């Protein structure tokens, strides 16, 4: 189903002009209702009408958005960001977007107008141009882009390790390479672990939690988001032996879903994390064990130690918080 280009143009210019009416100390005449559009050629029109938004948009942090688009077999990762993106993953190439692609990014992601937009900019550079101007062919896309939050467009290599559905992973991979976009100061090794997990980790990892962890504004919140990645495995460790014992015909995923929906069953957390650590090769949790030794002088029971940290954060009393 193709988009109606006329409606897109009307929507964008209406948003800009209404913003100007509300925030600029200017007086408008009947010209505010004159038709306006963004200049582009026939290829821009085809792209704007028919390119697919195959994932997103999502808001990954305070009005900053991302999406994956596709046009004629090429996939594009679009990211709005306050800070300049300077270092990108090896499977992406920064693209100077055409007028059509830029317009779709603004419209499709519903990008907000810049909070620091210069007063009078829309009145002087957008409203002043319209169909009744001599030689008007449409607005230059750069004049319109200057109104909205900055965004960047990257073409995705066909051999990318990430699928087109992996929007959270794509955001995480880019942000790990651009640390000025993060609030917390992670150690280099930690950032590398995040990056490798985003790019090469198993597809069933809850990447929304992983992304929330690196975007956190406190280390406590970051820890809890990471811990939730483990929590989502507890049901698996507790239920697998029962599933095998029952020898039922539904899939294991269906079995887990039924436990959740019909019984509202939840596994014991402290027992679950012990089972997880016991069933996993020790080298996987070596960093946690080493950290426990640094903090406590003992390598014993890293699972219980990790669980106690989680409890101290989640169940923090008002008195402790003070």
């Amino acid at each position: 189903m193709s988009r109606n280009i006329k409606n897109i143009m009307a929507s964008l210019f209406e948003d800009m002009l209404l913003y100007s009416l509300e925030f600029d100390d200017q007086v408008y005449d009947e010209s505010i209702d004159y038709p306006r559009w963004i200049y582009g050629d026939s290829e821009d029109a085809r792209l704007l009408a028919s390119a697919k938004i195959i994932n997103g948009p999502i808001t990954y942090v305070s009005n900053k958005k991302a999406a994956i688009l596709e046009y004629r077999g090429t996939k594009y990762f679009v990211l709005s960001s306050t800070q300049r993106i300077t270092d990108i993953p090896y499977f992406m190439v920064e693209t100077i977007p055409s007028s059509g692609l830029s317009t779709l990014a603004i419209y499709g992601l519903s990008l907000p107008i810049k909070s620091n937009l210069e007063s009078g900019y829309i009145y002087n550079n957008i409203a002043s141009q319209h169909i009744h101007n001599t030689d008007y062919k449409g607005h230059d896309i750069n004049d319109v882009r200057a109104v909205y939050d900055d965004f960047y467009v990257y073409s995705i290599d066909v051999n990318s390790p990430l699928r087109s559905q992996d929007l959270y992973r794509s955001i995480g991979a880019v942000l790990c390479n651009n640390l000025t976009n993060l609030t917390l100061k992670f150690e280099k090794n930690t950032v590398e672990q995040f990056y490798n997990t985003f790019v090469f980790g198993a597809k069933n990892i809850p990447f929304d939690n992983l992304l929330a962890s690196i975007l956190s504004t406190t280390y406590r919140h970051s820890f809890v988001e990471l811990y939730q990645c483990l929590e989502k495995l507890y049901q698996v460790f507790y239920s697998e032996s029962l599933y095998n014992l029952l020898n039922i015909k539904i899939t294991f995923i269906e079995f887990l879903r039924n436990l959740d929906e019909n019984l509202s069953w939840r596994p014991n957390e402290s027992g679950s994390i012990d089972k997880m650590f016991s069933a996993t090769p020790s080298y996987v949790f070596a960093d946690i064990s080493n950290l426990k030794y640094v903090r406590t002088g003992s390598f014993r029971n890293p699972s219980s130690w990790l669980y106690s940290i989680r409890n101290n954060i989640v169940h923090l009393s008002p008195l402790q918080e003070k």
Side-chain angles (χ1 to χ4, degrees):
M1 181 177 180
S2 63
R3 300 178 189 85
N4 187 304
I5 296 176
K6 184 177 180 180
N7 289 344
I8 292 174
M9 297 301 172
S11 175
L12 289 176
F13 283 99
E14 180 181 36
D15 287 346
M16 289 185 281
L17 294 173
L18 288 178
Y19 179 92
S20 180
L21 277 172
E22 182 175 358
F23 295 104
D24 287 343
D25 187 20
Q26 304 288 350
V27 178
Y28 280 86
D29 55 23
E30 69 276 3
S31 66
I32 193 172
D33 295 321
Y34 291 165
R36 296 170 177 84
W37 59 88
I38 298 169
Y39 176 80
D41 58 22
S42 58
E43 181 62 16
D44 289 311
R46 279 192 292 271
L47 186 154
L48 184 56
S50 62
K52 298 177 182 177
I53 301 177
I54 57 177
N55 199 331
I58 63 169
T59 301
Y60 65 94
V61 66
S62 185
N63 288 328
K64 303 308 173 189
K65 301 185 178 185
I68 296 178
L69 318 179
E70 183 177 16
Y71 180 64
R72 290 189 170 178
T74 299
K75 295 181 177 63
Y76 299 94
F77 173 61
V78 182
L79 182 79
S80 68
S81 174
T82 303
Q83 302 291 331
R84 174 71 181 171
I85 304 297
T86 57
D87 189 5
I88 58 178
Y90 70 92
F91 50 86
M92 294 183 183
V93 177
E94 185 168 5
T95 300
I96 299 176
S98 64
S99 176
L101 187 52
S102 292
T103 304
L104 180 58
I106 295 170
Y107 177 80
L109 274 67
S110 299
L111 294 182
I113 291 175
K114 289 177 179 174
S115 58
N116 61 346
L117 184 67
E118 178 186 346
S119 178
Y121 179 88
I122 294 176
Y123 183 84
N124 294 320
N125 297 279
I126 303 298
S128 61
Q129 303 178 55
H130 49 72
I131 193 172
H132 294 300
N133 291 151
T134 304
D135 298 328
Y136 178 73
K137 296 180 179 180
H139 281 64
D140 187 287
I141 184 58
N142 291 320
D143 289 341
V144 175
R145 284 193 62 168
V147 174
Y148 291 91
D149 272 0
D150 292 333
F151 64 91
Y152 305 93
V153 180
Y154 309 94
S155 60
I156 303 174
D157 190 278
V158 293
N159 296 314
S160 166
L162 304 185
R163 303 168 302 166
S164 58
Q165 297 93 335
D166 293 331
L167 184 51
Y168 287 104
R169 301 181 73 169
S170 298
I171 299 169
V174 169
L175 295 182
C176 282
N177 283 354
N178 295 270
L179 301 183
T180 57
N181 287 269
L182 306 181
T183 300
L184 298 180
K185 305 300 180 184
F186 295 106
E187 294 183 356
K188 180 180 179 181
N189 179 61
T190 302
V191 175
E192 290 175 351
Q193 293 286 354
F194 270 118
Y195 176 83
N196 288 334
T197 305
F198 279 121
V199 177
F200 303 111
K203 65 179 181 180
N204 293 328
I205 292 174
F207 289 101
D208 54 339
N209 290 109
L210 199 66
L211 180 61
S213 180
I214 67 166
L215 289 172
S216 297
T217 57
T218 68
Y219 291 107
R220 285 178 177 175
H221 181 206
S222 181
F223 173 88
V224 170
E225 291 291 348
L226 284 178
Y227 188 87
Q228 287 181 344
C229 294
L230 298 180
E231 281 184 326
K232 291 179 179 180
L233 294 174
Y234 289 171
Q235 196 178 41
V236 174
F237 278 88
Y238 250 95
S239 307
E240 187 176 22
S241 58
L242 176 60
Y243 173 77
N244 292 332
L245 179 65
L246 293 174
N247 194 29
I248 51 183
K249 294 183 179 180
I250 62 174
T251 68
F252 184 49
I253 297 300
E254 291 173 321
F255 177 65
L256 293 177
R257 186 180 297 115
N258 275 279
L259 285 177
D260 182 49
E261 294 177 355
N262 297 319
L263 299 179
S264 299
W265 176 79
R266 295 290 184 275
N268 175 274
E269 289 197 17
S270 61
S272 296
I273 194 170
D274 287 339
K275 280 179 174 286
M276 182 184 299
F277 272 63
S278 298
T280 307
S282 58
Y283 72 84
V284 174
F285 295 114
D287 287 343
I288 294 175
S289 298
N290 292 336
L291 181 59
K292 181 180 185 294
Y293 179 79
V294 171
R295 295 296 180 89
T296 69
S298 171
F299 288 109
R300 293 173 58 81
N301 300 324
S303 58
S304 299
W305 178 70
L306 196 66
Y307 183 61
S308 70
I309 295 175
R310 177 260 185 200
N311 288 340
N312 287 337
I313 295 174
V314 173
H315 303 302
L316 189 66
S317 70
L319 182 61
Q320 287 175 305
E321 198 168 31
K322 292 179 181 178

